[in-house]
Amino acid sequence: MYLSPPSKGEGGGRLDRKESYKAQRRIYRKEKKRVEKELLSTFKDESIIVLADWLKVRGSLKSWTKLWCVLKPGLLLLYRSQKAKSNHWIGTIILSTCELIERPSKKDGFCFKLFHPMDQSIWASKGPEGENIGAVVQPLPTSHLIFRAPTNAAGKCWMDALELALRCSSLLKRNLNRQSAADHVDGVDSSLESNRLNDSDVERHFKAEFEDGGSVTDDGNDADNPQNSQFPSDDEDEDNEASEENSVIEDPSTLPPATNYTRDQDEVFGTTENQTEEFSEENKSIVWFLVKQVRPGMDLSRVVLPTFILEPRSFLDKISDYYYHADIISKAVQDNDPFVRMKTIVKWYLSGFYKKPKGLKKPYNPILGETFRCCWNHPNGSKTFYIAEQVSHHPPISAFYTTNRQEGFTISGTILAKSKFYGNSTSAILDGAATLSLLPRGEDYVMTMPYAHCKGILMGTMTMELGGKVTIECEKTGYSTELEFKLRPFLGGGELTNAVSGRLKLGKETLATIDGHWDEKVMFKDKKSGLSEVLWEVTPEVRGARLPRFTVPIDEQTEWESAYLWRHVSKAIVTEDQVGATDEKTKLEEAQRAALREREATGSSWVTKLFEQEAGVYIGADSTVPKYAYKNADVRPWDPRNDLLQYEKNYVVCTKTRHKTPMIRTQSIVSVLEPALTERVSSMSRRRKTREFEVSLHRSQDSDTSTPGAKEVKGRALSKSSSSLLPLQDALKPLIEEQRKINEKIAKLNHSIETCLYQQKERDGNSNINRDLVLLIILVVMIQAMLNWVLAERANRGLGS
């Protein structure tokens, strides 16, 4: 079409276009500065970190270099050390230009690859603080980078985090494109503030994406692509995706279906006088009968104890006494000084001991498969949830998990409870460790526990004390604390009753000393300044500040929960019906033995419910206690913009969010959605493979656009390939079933080996004790004979003179 030149009367229109162009240029410069400012703020804000850890990176010379990798929204920064300083910066990868794929490896660990699909550079030209030259390391490739994580779980966490960062980058680009188009239509005089995103804009954006048939995980081109129906997918996956599309934005006022908790009854506190007790004549006869069955050094875990020394609650419940002052941990999370954080954690550690039972009582030995759960309400509305399970009976191992992501901490632990008999005394030893994780700071504090020592069983007044040395260590900061719970000496030493002392150290340097009584007052003295202060003191105000505990009503508990399982025994103990308590306890023990015989007859092994053993990881004093981890653990820092509250349902601690996370996290990062985790994991893995296939097909279509009928041919080929996989899947089913059986046999064999090693260790310990006793007796006899000879010689000399 021929366009005539504008006439003179059209000069006004030409000026309008010129002014419009100037205005567009002005807004363009403002928008460019805004984007640059936001990008720099993301660079420099230390709180905006998705994931940070050590990874091995493969260089151009085919060798591996260990680098500190910091993942931020849209960016991956590489540093030479964990300090993440400017002079340690190596390079920055722009994730919006990258594709992510898992890479097979012959070595241990998990490999993945970030690459540019067109072999272009993936590196940013400058660093987070304007650096032009990075730190000197071996040369790194330009268009790709291969990473190796130390474990399979860590690698999957990195894959999920990177995939989420890639999706968020694509959503941001699409949203900015829509906004720029809308600004052009509405006019050039719109203000800069109208282009900024607030919470309501984000919600409208997500709703618009899903109303258009899109997905949070797509690349922006799938909504209108008719080829989508040709990709392999299951009907179940489509139903799940459709349900997610209709409920991406959560209603903050709608509470999720959670377990019903009710407040516990008022607690009963024992005093120092309650730490002593004398048996009645009837009970003494029972004790003497038991003493005849044991010998010094013997483990009492297989000895059936009388009910009159039992406290009417399970050991799994007993462990929860440490968390009535969990709000002290919240203060440690907020403090920026690592010295003060360690000091505050020691204060919380000491707060778990002053609650004593009324009288000398021992909690029930949990039954294999027994579970317990409870929670504490904090003044700010958050909740601390506690989950525990008895994962092994011989040896008796208890695993527990405590979480309050809103306050910034989780605690996981594995305890092997052992009892040793020494004649007139006995000790309850808690071997194992607990790990306190401060989520926003990435710090883990590993701590051990003292043992309970009871003496005067046969002669004298029976008393109970805490003894032993414990440690609290943080590998990341280098701070540690050593505490010693002191036993009262045989003669005198009343001032040492319930005494504790210790040191807070940085490396090998002692910074402060700790001294006092754990049930009264503990002083903290700074070695540098010489100032002393009260670290912990049990006062009426402290007792009144205990967080209220909530448990599940007994009529709503499952058959394996502690209170329901032991309800008849506890009722008989409370009513002082020792005969009835013994009968009910015997029924539970016989049922447990029958279940064990049935498993041995069928060749099956016990499968834990809530926890799983970490392969090859052992803890404890001799590194012989297998470590168990909570299957649904979530160690992500709390996101106040998205996370609303934590709740528990069917022993799964979940997080209600404003936006449903479009991915499933496994191992240390778990899903915040409530449906069955195993089904969702398999569903998401299938959809990930589908998306990878979509990307590869989309690339091939770009090169085939000039060939008529290319799309139809590829569609038919895809349908044919998906149908050809069905016979292969049917053929693999017997192999998969055989593999499952082999895994069960291996697990049973490992359990048998662990049991044999434990029993051998016990026998060696008993033999060593018996050998020591024999040597001691021989030494005493020799000394006595020597004294008799000396006295006889002196007497003979006196008679001769």
Side-chain angles (χ1 to χ4, degrees):
M1 180 182 295
Y2 175 79
L3 297 177
S4 60
S7 61
K8 293 182 179 180
E10 298 173 338
R14 184 186 304 169
L15 292 176
D16 291 340
R17 288 196 296 272
K18 190 173 183 179
E19 291 175 357
S20 175
Y21 173 76
K22 290 182 178 179
Q24 291 177 2
R25 290 279 299 178
R26 183 170 60 254
I27 291 181
Y28 164 76
R29 288 192 294 270
K30 290 182 179 180
E31 184 68 14
K32 183 179 178 182
K33 290 181 180 179
R34 182 185 70 83
V35 173
E36 182 180 1
K37 183 178 180 181
E38 291 181 354
L39 184 60
L40 288 176
S41 66
T42 304
F43 267 130
K44 298 179 180 179
D45 192 348
E46 297 181 356
S47 63
I48 305 179
I49 293 179
V50 179
L51 195 59
D53 203 353
W54 289 101
L55 291 176
K56 288 186 177 180
V57 181
R58 189 177 184 184
S60 303
L61 303 178
K62 308 301 182 183
S63 60
W64 295 89
T65 303
K66 194 174 183 180
L67 301 178
W68 180 255
C69 302
V70 179
L71 178 60
K72 294 194 172 190
L75 303 169
L76 180 61
L77 289 82
L78 306 181
Y79 292 93
R80 192 172 57 185
S81 71
Q82 194 172 348
K83 297 180 180 179
K85 293 183 178 180
S86 176
N87 57 345
H88 293 172
W89 172 79
I90 295 174
T92 301
I93 299 176
I94 304 175
L95 296 179
S96 60
T97 65
C98 297
E99 295 287 345
L100 176 65
I101 189 172
E102 181 180 346
R103 188 175 186 272
S105 175
K106 296 180 181 179
K107 299 181 179 180
D108 295 335
F110 184 95
C111 284
F112 57 91
K113 182 177 181 181
L114 281 172
F115 65 96
H116 194 289
M118 303 300 293
D119 287 335
Q120 301 298 316
S121 176
I122 61 175
W123 299 95
S125 58
K126 292 186 178 181
E129 298 182 10
E131 301 94 340
N132 293 318
I133 301 177
V136 178
V137 293
Q138 68 159 315
L140 298 177
T142 303
S143 60
H144 72 275
L145 214 56
I146 300 174
F147 299 86
R148 179 188 295 278
T151 62
N152 191 52
K156 289 184 178 180
C157 288
W158 272 101
M159 286 282 289
D160 289 340
L162 284 167
E163 189 174 358
L164 179 60
L166 291 171
R167 297 172 192 163
C168 292
S169 300
S170 63
L171 288 175
L172 179 61
K173 290 190 296 183
R174 288 157 54 191
N175 187 70
L176 291 176
N177 292 337
R178 291 187 179 185
Q179 284 189 342
S180 60
D183 292 341
H184 180 73
V185 174
D186 295 339
V188 295
D189 295 330
S190 59
S191 64
L192 182 63
E193 293 297 322
S194 64
N195 291 330
R196 296 182 182 272
L197 289 174
N198 53 31
D199 292 341
S200 60
D201 295 332
V202 174
E203 292 186 8
R204 286 196 296 270
H205 160 72
F206 274 90
K207 287 181 178 178
E209 292 294 329
F210 279 84
E211 288 171 358
D212 293 340
S215 170
V216 175
T217 60
D218 63 16
D219 60 357
N221 300 321
D222 297 337
D224 300 323
N225 189 358
Q227 295 279 340
N228 288 342
S229 60
Q230 300 176 4
F231 294 118
S233 61
D234 296 334
D235 296 337
E236 181 182 354
D237 295 342
E238 295 174 358
D239 295 339
N240 291 336
E241 291 173 359
S243 62
E244 291 173 7
E245 293 172 4
N246 296 328
S247 59
V248 171
I249 305 301
E250 294 281 352
D251 184 4
S253 61
T254 303
L255 297 178
T259 301
N260 177 37
Y261 285 92
T262 58
R263 183 163 181 170
D264 271 356
Q265 298 178 355
D266 293 338
E267 299 178 85
V268 177
F269 291 90
T271 62
T272 304
E273 290 74 16
N274 293 133
Q275 290 182 269
T276 63
E277 186 174 354
E278 293 188 5
F279 290 142
S280 63
E281 293 300 326
E282 179 184 358
N283 293 339
K284 281 185 178 179
S285 62
I286 300 177
V287 172
W288 276 106
F289 176 75
L290 289 174
V291 169
K292 294 177 182 179
Q293 305 178 45
V294 298
R295 60 183 182 274
M298 181 178 178
D299 186 2
L300 300 182
S301 60
R302 294 178 179 270
V303 178
V304 180
L305 299 177
T307 56
F308 66 85
I309 65 172
L310 295 179
E311 182 182 4
R313 62 170 177 164
S314 174
F315 177 70
L316 301 180
D317 186 355
K318 178 75 172 179
I319 302 175
S320 68
D321 287 348
Y322 286 91
Y323 306 107
Y324 281 92
H325 292 283
D327 52 331
I328 299 178
I329 306 178
S330 308
K331 299 176 183 178
V333 175
Q334 298 169 3
D335 203 290
N336 293 323
D337 188 349
F339 174 79
V340 179
R341 287 201 296 273
M342 174 60 78
K343 174 182 171 183
T344 307
I345 289 173
V346 173
K347 178 180 179 180
W348 163 77
Y349 183 86
L350 293 172
S351 70
F353 298 106
Y354 72 90
K355 180 186 177 182
K356 311 183 188 77
K358 200 168 184 180
L360 291 180
K361 303 296 180 183
K362 176 187 177 299
Y364 307 137
N365 290 330
I367 291 176
L368 180 62
E370 179 182 334
T371 59
F372 180 80
R373 55 182 165 175
C374 63
C375 70
W376 294 264
N377 286 2
H378 290 244
N380 63 351
S382 67
K383 294 184 178 182
T384 296
F385 290 94
Y386 170 81
I387 305 290
E389 179 187 0
Q390 188 71 10
V391 294
S392 175
H393 188 61
H394 288 301
I397 300 177
S398 306
F400 62 90
Y401 177 77
T402 308
T403 177
N404 189 333
R405 288 184 54 238
Q406 187 171 348
E407 295 296 315
F409 67 87
T410 63
I411 304 172
S412 62
T414 306
I415 297 177
L416 169 59
K418 299 185 291 185
S419 299
K420 292 288 186 179
F421 179 69
Y422 302 110
N424 193 41
S425 64
T426 181
S427 294
I429 303 171
L430 303 181
D431 196 8
T435 302
L436 166 61
S437 302
L438 304 186
L439 303 183
R441 302 188 178 277
E443 297 174 357
D444 292 335
Y445 294 79
V446 181
M447 55 195 70
T448 57
M449 285 144 283
Y451 64 86
H453 186 74
C454 182
K455 57 186 178 180
I457 297 177
L458 303 179
M459 297 176 291
T461 302
M462 193 167 67
T463 60
M464 194 277 293
E465 302 174 272
L466 294 181
K469 295 181 179 181
V470 301
T471 58
I472 305 174
E473 299 176 338
C474 179
E475 182 179 2
K476 182 175 181 180
T477 62
Y479 285 85
S480 63
T481 299
E482 297 176 355
L483 295 175
E484 181 180 4
F485 291 81
K486 299 179 180 180
L487 297 177
R488 183 176 176 177
F490 181 73
L491 297 176
E495 69 279 358
L496 295 179
T497 302
N498 298 336
V500 63
S501 63
R503 297 178 296 171
L504 192 155
K505 303 192 299 182
L506 176 59
K508 296 183 178 180
E509 180 186 1
T510 299
L511 303 181
T513 58
I514 301 169
D515 188 59
H517 298 81
W518 49 264
D519 61 337
E520 294 178 0
K521 181 192 293 186
V522 178
M523 301 299 296
F524 184 89
K525 183 177 181 180
D526 192 313
K527 193 173 181 181
K528 184 176 182 181
S529 63
L531 298 177
S532 297
E533 59 178 313
V534 177
L535 176 65
W536 172 250
E537 184 175 11
V538 181
T539 62
E541 292 75 16
V542 168
R543 295 177 186 267
R546 290 170 68 90
L547 298 177
R549 194 181 79 161
F550 294 76
T551 54
V552 181
I554 193 169
D555 55 344
E556 298 181 20
Q557 293 185 9
T558 62
E559 61 178 345
W560 287 98
E561 294 199 50
S562 294
Y564 185 85
L565 194 63
W566 295 92
R567 64 190 186 281
H568 298 305
V569 181
S570 300
K571 182 179 179 181
I573 291 177
V574 170
T575 58
E576 298 183 356
D577 180 8
Q578 301 300 336
V579 176
T582 302
D583 293 341
E584 295 295 338
K585 181 171 177 287
T586 303
K587 292 179 182 178
L588 294 176
E589 293 168 348
E590 287 299 327
Q592 186 171 215
R593 296 188 186 102
L596 175 61
R597 289 192 295 269
E598 182 179 353
R599 289 195 300 271
E600 292 176 347
T602 58
S604 60
S605 59
W606 177 260
V607 179
T608 56
K609 307 169 186 175
L610 310 174
F611 294 81
E612 58 185 358
Q613 183 178 347
E614 296 187 17
V617 181
Y618 293 87
I619 56 177
D622 301 325
S623 298
T624 56
V625 181
K627 184 178 181 181
Y628 285 79
Y630 180 54
K631 294 180 180 179
N632 303 298
D634 189 351
V635 295
R636 294 173 298 142
W638 186 261
D639 183 2
R641 295 181 180 273
N642 189 40
D643 297 334
L644 297 177
L645 58 91
Q646 273 188 298
Y647 65 97
E648 181 270 326
K649 182 68 175 178
N650 297 329
Y651 280 92
V652 178
V653 181
C654 306
T655 303
K656 177 177 173 58
T657 58
R658 297 185 63 185
H659 304 281
K660 285 187 177 179
T661 307
M663 60 183 290
I664 291 295
R665 301 172 184 266
T666 58
Q667 298 295 330
S668 62
I669 301 181
V670 299
S671 173
V672 297
L673 304 180
E674 190 178 343
L677 296 178
T678 54
E679 298 178 0
R680 297 283 292 128
V681 169
S682 60
S683 172
M684 290 302 296
S685 62
R686 288 195 297 269
R687 278 182 283 178
R688 179 188 294 176
K689 295 178 181 178
T690 303
R691 286 194 299 275
E692 293 176 356
F693 197 85
E694 292 174 2
V695 173
S696 61
L697 182 61
H698 180 68
R699 293 178 193 154
S700 62
Q701 286 176 346
D702 292 340
S703 61
D704 293 340
T705 51
S706 60
T707 305
K711 295 182 179 180
E712 288 77 2
V713 172
K714 288 185 177 295
R716 290 194 297 270
L718 179 60
S719 301
K720 184 177 179 180
S721 62
S722 60
S723 61
S724 62
L725 290 176
L726 295 178
L728 180 60
Q729 293 176 354
D730 295 337
L732 288 175
K733 284 182 179 179
L735 297 178
I736 295 174
E737 181 65 21
E738 187 67 24
Q739 181 68 27
R740 185 186 64 81
K741 294 180 179 179
I742 293 175
N743 291 337
E744 290 181 354
K745 293 180 180 179
I746 293 175
K748 182 181 177 182
L749 180 61
N750 289 335
H751 180 73
S752 301
I753 293 174
E754 292 173 2
T755 304
C756 292
L757 291 175
Y758 175 77
Q759 294 174 350
Q760 181 64 34
K761 182 182 176 183
E762 295 298 329
R763 286 195 295 269
D764 293 343
N766 295 337
S767 61
N768 290 334
I769 293 175
N770 293 334
R771 190 185 308 114
D772 294 340
L773 289 175
V774 172
L775 292 176
L776 180 61
I777 293 172
I778 294 174
L779 181 61
V780 171
V781 171
M782 291 177 63
I783 293 173
Q784 185 66 37
M786 183 66 69
L787 289 175
N788 293 337
W789 179 79
V790 171
L791 293 176
E793 287 293 326
R794 288 184 178 179
N796 293 334
R797 290 176 183 176
L799 292 175
S801 62

